[in-house]
Amino acid sequence: MKEKHHLPYQIIDNLFSADECQRIISLWDKPEIGQIFGHETPSPELRISEISWIKPSKETGWIFERIAQVVLRKGDLGISSELFLLEHGLQLTFYNAEKGGHYYFHQDSGEKNTRKLSLSVLLSSPQMFDGGRLEFLDSQRKVVDSKLTQGSVAYFSSSQVHRVSPVLKNVRWSLVGWFSERVESITQ
């Protein structure tokens, strides 16, 4: 795994191979509309996506073991807390250009949650879709494209403002997760 260091996030290239990305996508089950944390109803001006949850099991243990390697790197972001526990499992996210798939600028932390570390793995090959970039706002409020490649992960403080730009052609798949300082239920 080769690392790229770009603030306000870090990237680990090739966390998953292309074949492993397809194995993860094949776990898509019981899709639901992607919600905004703390919102009771969908907010299409902020987010249009579908999601499915991946829970730890014999079938998925290899995914969680690989993700644990990222969590061990939390110090790269100046996060010194001793323990991060996955909140709800991992979220498999599907953005479809035909439906206007996107997720507007937001933070993963806030008053109603304890998220400290966020991560996003690009499961699709960037050559297979247009738009759909994971982008961050830097300290000067300039948009920075993470330039993720298939199977690579961006990890960042959950307080970091970021978005998935509108998908303009085809579809984009990603795997996202959040970690916190206190034990959270792994059931939704």
Side-chain angles (χ1 to χ4, degrees):
M1 288 182 287
K2 182 181 172 192
E3 293 184 53
K4 293 180 187 174
H5 295 279
H6 300 280
L7 293 177
Y9 57 90
Q10 301 290 318
I11 291 179
I12 299 175
D13 285 330
N14 305 312
L15 185 68
F16 295 101
S17 70
D19 287 342
E20 290 171 329
C21 289
Q22 290 307 309
R23 283 178 57 196
I24 295 169
I25 291 169
S26 74
L27 297 171
W28 184 253
D29 185 41
K30 300 179 185 168
E32 54 190 81
I33 301 297
Q35 298 279 64
I36 308 287
F37 189 84
H39 289 234
E40 306 243 346
T41 59
S43 301
E45 68 282 359
L46 300 177
R47 181 180 189 181
I48 297 175
S49 66
E50 294 178 61
I51 64 170
S52 179
W53 294 99
I54 298 176
K55 307 288 186 194
S57 69
K58 287 182 182 180
E59 181 184 18
T60 63
W62 64 277
I63 301 168
F64 287 85
E65 288 173 11
R66 201 77 56 83
I67 293 296
Q69 295 176 23
V70 179
V71 178
L72 293 174
R73 314 275 317 180
K74 67 185 183 292
D76 294 347
L77 300 168
I79 300 171
S80 60
S81 301
E82 292 295 319
L83 184 61
F84 291 90
L85 298 170
L86 213 50
E87 290 181 343
H88 303 293
L90 296 169
Q91 182 181 282
L92 184 55
T93 311
F94 175 72
Y95 296 93
N96 187 336
E98 290 181 4
K99 295 181 179 182
H102 73 283
Y103 199 158
Y104 195 69
F105 283 112
H106 65 284
Q107 295 173 301
D108 293 335
S109 64
E111 293 178 15
K112 297 183 179 183
N113 69 54
T114 60
R115 295 172 179 172
K116 298 290 182 185
L117 178 70
S118 299
L119 60 85
S120 180
V121 179
L122 181 61
L123 300 175
S124 301
S125 168
Q127 290 76 32
M128 300 303 294
F129 63 93
D130 289 337
R133 300 291 187 187
L134 176 62
E135 299 175 332
F136 296 87
L137 287 183
D138 70 9
S139 59
Q140 282 78 44
R141 310 279 301 162
K142 292 182 182 172
V143 177
V144 179
D145 182 350
S146 66
K147 299 181 182 169
L148 282 180
T149 58
Q150 185 177 29
S152 296
V153 60
Y155 60 104
F156 48 96
S157 168
S158 296
S159 64
Q160 178 61 51
V161 177
H162 62 286
R163 75 171 180 175
V164 173
S165 66
V167 176
L168 304 173
K169 179 178 149 191
N170 294 333
V171 300
R172 177 191 194 272
W173 290 92
S174 61
L175 182 69
V176 297
W178 308 275
F179 297 82
S180 65
E181 292 180 309
R182 66 184 171 113
V183 176
E184 298 280 350
S185 171
I186 199 148
T187 58
Q188 178 117 355

